[in-house]
Structure formats: structure tokens, C-alpha cells
Amino acid sequence: MSAISHHVPDAMLAAYAAGNLPHAFAVTVASHVSLCGQCRVALGAHQAVGGAVLEDTPVVAVSSSLKDDIFAQLDAPFTPEPVHERNGIFPGPVMEALKGREPQWKTLGMGVRQDILSADTNGSVRLLYIPPGQAVPDHSHNGLELTLVLQGSFSDETGRFGVGDLEIADEHLEHTPVADDGAPCICLAATDARLRFRALVPRLLQPLFRI
Ligand code: ZN
Ligand code: ZN
């Protein structure tokens, strides 16, 4: 596995540590953290600080013992405590969202397939299967979209994303992710709002596929 180069932004890790992320994003962040030592350490720091703030009232200047506590937490191995264990390419949090079942791929056309893990008015999280060389239809976003690569890689206007890399797209980005050559690209994709497709046909199909 090549090194992970696209990580969870610090503010998002803090929101995750505080339990403030919508379910779809929380599953995706937990999955990245389970693959990424760097974000695991950063998350541990947020959790230590969050716990210290809750425990230490009245608030005093940051003591050396608090600092020691934080660094002790950094040394302690953190696990997101998924009920399910990693299975093949699927991290524990994904297995948890799958409720232990195998993915049930539904075709989206052009060889692209998906398995919706959960979808409601707050967003959706799904597995995407993209054959080598195939593009996900050109689209922009009404909200945030998080894409975590689990197998293979894809490239778009912003760069290349391999296993463990997390792409964050917002309303300012219009992109066309294309799966690279090699193994089919399998991603975990989470949104907090519906995507906007430029082409008419995908837009017509949108209600059907709940993208
Ligand atoms: Zn990371
Ligand atoms: Zn997108």
C-alpha cells in the first residue's frame, strides 16, 4: 500500500471526536482513521483535550499534568471500536455499516456499481465500484462529499487518490473522477446533500439512484 497523502482536515477530526458529524461522514472518517496512523494520533489528541475540558472545571491554565495526560493518550493505541472487524479491503466501520453482509452491487451503467449503506435526509453513504478507466459522471455538489479509496485509485482535476486517501469536495468543486488502470476502484462515498449532475440523463436518473 502506498503512503496516504490526503487526510481528514483537523476541524473535521475535532467535530468527529465531539460526535458532531452526520452519520455518513462519521462512518467515512472512522474508516480513514482505521487505515491512517497519522489521523489516529491527531484524533487521540482531540479526544484527550475534549475529555480534559469536560473534567477540568473550573478551567485553569494548561498544567504540565494535563500535557502529560495528552501525551500519554497519544502513546496509547486508539481504535474506533467498530463492532465488526476489518474484512478484506473493508475497514471495521464499513463492515459495521454493511451489518456484516457482503456488498450487494447495483449497476449504475458503464460498469459503475454501488451499494447504498444508508441514505436519509441528512445524507448518504455508499460503496462505489468503478472499473479501470471509467469515469464517474461529471458533477458538482450542493454540500460536502467525502470519498475514501478502499481499493485501486482514481484521479480527477485535483490530483490522484490511492488506498486510504480521502478526497473532500464541496460546492466550489466540479470534478470528473476517473478510475486509474489496474484493479477496479472501490470507494466509500458520503454526501450530506444531493449531487448536481450537469448532464441531463444522470439528472433524470438521480431520484432513482438516490445520489
Ligand atoms: Zn489520515
Ligand atoms: Zn464529487
Side-chain angles (χ1 to χ4, degrees), residues 66-119:
L66 173 56
K67 281 184 194 151
D68 289 347
D69 286 349
I70 291 171
F71 285 110
Q73 290 258 4
L74 289 179
D75 290 340
F78 169 80
T79 52
E81 296 156 25
V83 176
H84 294 276
E85 291 183 357
R86 178 183 181 83
N87 183 3
I89 63 166
F90 300 116
V94 172
M95 291 308 297
E96 201 169 340
L98 279 165
K99 300 182 174 70
R101 66 175 170 81
E102 293 292 315
Q104 292 164 358
W105 298 111
K106 303 240 163 56
T107 186
L108 285 170
M110 307 297 285
V112 178
R113 291 182 267 169
Q114 72 171 358
D115 180 345
I116 299 176
L117 302 179
S118 73

Side-chain angles (χ1 to χ4, degrees), residues 126-130 147-150 154 185-189:
R126 74 196 62 219
L127 291 166
L128 279 176
Y129 175 106
I130 312 162
T147 307
L148 175 68
V149 178
L150 301 176
F154 72 84
C185 183
I186 296 178
C187 299
L188 183 67

Side-chain angles (χ1 to χ4, degrees), residues 129-186:
Y129 175 106
I130 312 162
Q134 182 59 48
V136 173
D138 183 27
H139 59 273
S140 57
H141 314 90
N142 291 315
L144 271 187
E145 174 192 63
L146 270 54
T147 307
L148 175 68
V149 178
L150 301 176
Q151 174 184 293
S153 62
F154 72 84
S155 299
D156 70 7
E157 290 80 347
T158 69
R160 180 178 177 279
F161 298 83
V163 172
D165 280 330
L166 180 72
E167 176 173 53
I168 299 182
D170 64 13
E171 58 266 32
H172 303 298
L173 179 69
E174 189 174 300
H175 65 158
T176 309
V178 179
D180 295 327
D181 290 339
C185 183
I186 296 178

